């Protein structure tokens, strides 16, 4: 093989180093890759430390799940905030059980313009109501808030631990933020206003 030229061979070319260190070292400019390949085939036992410059821990999806506070004052409007939610973009998923309440709806507001997303009608039967929804939300412009409104007063019910609000990361967020080990409680004063 001669540097700066194309070498063609009919069989596999092997570089064997009988001394210490690697058998091959490739040096290139900082703005050029050290190696280029023309095949899409996987190379066995080729270790890769990074994927697009990211460590494996940065590619793990994390979900922040909040417990819905049970009981409280019966009212027609309740709003929940989610303290400790790191800035980022999330897939929101919620399921809420209401005790009492008539027809109504639940929705989430987020962003500078308080955009409404994840709208769900409250389905009622035998003194209970349920609502479930999902949406893509951002907490970059402030903490999202989930509001439920019904025609008659209600309280949140979590007898079977079904009620929850989950935020699953869709983009990488700052990994320096400590993640809660348990389900923190969402916060709300039952009056429809955030605390």
């Amino acid at each position: 093989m001669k540097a700066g030229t194309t070498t063609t061979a009919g069989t596999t070319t092997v570089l064997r180093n009988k001394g210490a260190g690697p058998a091959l070292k490739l040096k290139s400019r900082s703005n050029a890759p050290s190696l280029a390949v023309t095949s899409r085939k996987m190379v066995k036992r080729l270790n890769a430390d990074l994927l697009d410059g990211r460590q494996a821990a940065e590619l793990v999806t994390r979900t922040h799940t909040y417990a819905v506070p049970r009981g409280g004052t019966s009212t027609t409007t309740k709003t929940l905030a989610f303290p400790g939610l790191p800035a980022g973009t999330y897939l929101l998923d919620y399921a809420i059980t209401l005790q009492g309440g008539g027809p109504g709806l639940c929705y989430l507001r987020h962003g500078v313009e308080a955009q409404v997303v994840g709208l769900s009608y409250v389905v009622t039967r035998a003194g209970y109501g349920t609502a479930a929804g999902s949406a893509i939300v951002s907490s970059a412009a402030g903490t999202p808030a989930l509001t439920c409104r019904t025609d008659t007063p209600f309280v949140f019910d979590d007898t079977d631990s079904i009620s929850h609000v989950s935020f699953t990361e869709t983009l990488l967020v700052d990994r320096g933020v400590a993640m809660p080990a348990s389900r923190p409680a969402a916060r709300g004063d039952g009056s429809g206003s955030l605390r």
Side-chain angles (χ1 to χ4, degrees):
M1 295 189 334
K2 186 175 179 183
T5 64
T6 300
T7 301
T8 303
T11 60
T12 302
T13 302
V14 177
L15 295 175
R16 181 168 291 140
N17 179 10
K18 294 186 177 183
L24 179 64
K25 182 175 183 178
L26 304 173
K27 290 185 174 184
S28 63
R29 296 184 311 275
S30 60
N31 62 348
S34 295
L35 181 66
V37 296
T38 58
S39 171
R40 293 182 178 270
K41 287 294 218 179
M42 186 181 79
V43 180
K44 292 180 181 179
R45 297 189 300 273
L46 178 64
N47 297 327
D49 186 42
L50 303 175
L51 178 62
D52 283 341
R54 306 272 185 194
Q55 297 286 344
E58 294 179 280
L59 302 174
V60 175
T61 300
R62 288 181 173 85
T63 299
H64 310 276
T65 300
Y66 291 82
V68 175
R70 186 177 172 193
T73 305
S74 184
T75 181
T76 58
T77 301
K78 287 185 179 285
T79 297
L80 300 174
F82 307 99
L85 183 66
T89 302
Y90 299 91
L91 170 62
L92 161 75
D93 168 61
Y94 70 89
I96 304 287
T97 301
L98 314 176
Q99 185 177 358
L105 51 88
C106 294
Y107 55 88
L108 190 117
R109 289 186 182 273
H110 75 116
V112 176
E113 298 173 2
Q115 179 183 6
V116 173
V117 296
L119 181 67
S120 172
Y121 290 99
V122 175
V123 178
T124 59
R125 183 177 176 149
Y128 287 88
T130 59
S134 62
I136 299 294
V137 298
S138 172
S139 63
T143 304
L146 180 70
T147 299
C148 292
R149 297 178 189 271
T150 63
D151 290 345
T152 56
F154 70 92
V155 294
F156 289 124
D157 183 76
D158 196 23
T159 305
D160 299 322
S161 298
I162 297 171
S163 293
H164 72 277
V165 181
S166 297
F167 296 87
T168 301
E169 297 173 3
T170 59
L171 298 176
L172 297 171
V173 298
D174 181 6
R175 299 304 180 193
V177 177
M179 300 301 161
S182 60
R183 290 172 58 173
R187 227 176 29 183
D189 62 8
S191 66
S193 61
L194 295 178
R195 289 195 301 182

